Amino acid sequence: EDVLHLLSLPFHCAKQKARQSAGKCPVILCGVLAAEDLHPFPIVFTAAGKLQHHQEVIKEKRKQLFGLFGAFAVVGVTTFGGGYAMLPALQREVVEKRRWATEEEVMDWYAIGQCTPGVIAVNTATFVGQKQAGIWGGIFATLGVVFPSLIIIMIIAAFIQNFAHLPAVQNAFAGIRVCVCVLILNAVVKLWKKSVVDWKTFLVFLLVFAGSVFLNISPVLYVLAAAVAGIVIRELEARKA
């Protein structure tokens, strides 16, 4: 018996190693279990089930990424004016319709997007995509929001010189500019209700507003100053409490 045990040790070691690799190689798993007089087909089915599950995960991930691309492509293709004009569409698509983020999160991303290079709406799309699906989500969301504009601008640029002088085209752009102003104002009102909640935040609002009207400095400085003011106000409130 001792001799037989010693002779069987390599087989048991190989079998144990094969079991550890079973999730990686269904063929090895099938062979080992067949050697134990177990039927291989249910095991093949189990291994195939793992493979099928992996394929379903990939399919779901792909669906999520293209969902991000499609959602932000809708924002890009239905928004005129760019920049701040995209904020109402982003808020409607991200917060109200798909519930990918709260209004507070979107406002934080607006502030960060204002401090970083690039268009604020594009930066916000990157934040939303990254939150939903990681780095690839940020890439797909960013591509989605800029892709329609890229295609449309390329088409318009090829023909604008032939139609820009027409009164109908000029009047159309004048009407669009008015509409953009209304959309931006609507976004400001919604942000106001969530941001200016007491006299301290109202004071910060007045100071930033006055500075932006009478001083010609970078908006980044206003954002940084407001951030410092928010930290100081909350620290003072915490000490008083």
Side-chain angles (χ1 to χ4, degrees):
E1 290 185 4
D2 293 337
V3 174
L4 292 175
H5 177 70
L6 291 174
L7 291 175
S8 64
L9 281 179
F11 172 77
H12 288 296
C13 293
K15 183 177 66 175
Q16 185 66 25
K17 188 175 182 180
R19 280 182 172 274
Q20 295 174 357
S21 304
K24 300 179 181 179
C25 184
V27 177
I28 295 177
L29 176 63
C30 179
V32 171
L33 294 179
E36 294 178 336
D37 294 327
L38 293 177
H39 200 283
F41 294 106
I43 307 304
V44 172
F45 176 78
T46 303
K50 292 182 179 180
L51 180 60
Q52 183 179 3
H53 174 70
H54 182 65
Q55 291 175 344
E56 290 177 355
V57 171
I58 295 176
K59 184 178 179 180
E60 186 65 25
K61 185 71 172 181
R62 188 185 298 116
K63 180 180 178 182
Q64 185 181 29
L65 292 176
F66 281 103
L68 285 166
F69 181 89
F72 284 100
V74 171
V75 173
V77 80
T78 58
T79 306
F80 294 90
Y84 291 101
M86 283 187 171
L87 300 187
L90 281 171
Q91 187 177 30
R92 181 177 62 253
E93 190 73 22
V94 173
V95 178
E96 299 174 5
K97 182 178 178 180
R98 301 183 182 272
R99 301 189 182 279
W100 284 339
T102 64
E103 290 189 0
E104 289 77 11
E105 288 177 321
V106 172
M107 285 187 288
D108 292 339
W109 294 334
Y110 287 168
I112 298 173
Q114 186 66 63
C115 299
T116 53
V119 182
I120 184 174
V122 176
N123 296 342
T124 304
T126 306
F127 283 123
V128 175
Q130 196 278 335
K131 178 189 176 184
Q132 292 299 311
I135 295 177
W136 281 108
I139 293 174
F140 271 72
T142 304
L143 291 176
V145 79
V146 301
F147 183 75
S149 301
L150 175 64
I151 300 300
I152 294 172
I153 289 299
M154 290 177 63
I155 296 174
I156 292 177
F159 301 101
I160 189 64
Q161 298 300 327
N162 299 326
F163 301 100
H165 65 282
L166 297 178
V169 175
Q170 295 177 357
N171 294 335
F173 280 115
I176 290 174
R177 285 193 291 269
V178 174
C179 179
V180 168
C181 292
V182 174
L183 294 175
I184 294 175
L185 180 61
N186 184 38
V188 170
V189 171
K190 289 183 178 180
L191 294 175
W192 170 281
K193 294 178 181 179
K194 292 289 185 178
S195 301
V196 183
V197 295
D198 52 24
W199 68 269
K200 299 171 186 175
T201 52
F202 181 69
L203 179 62
V204 173
F205 170 82
L206 288 179
L207 292 175
V208 174
F209 180 77
S212 63
V213 171
F214 298 106
L215 300 177
N216 187 20
I217 59 177
S218 172
V220 176
L221 298 178
Y222 296 123
V223 175
L224 295 177
V228 173
I231 294 173
V232 172
I233 290 173
R234 297 307 178 193
E235 286 293 331
L236 293 176
E237 290 179 348
R239 291 181 181 180
K240 290 181 179 180

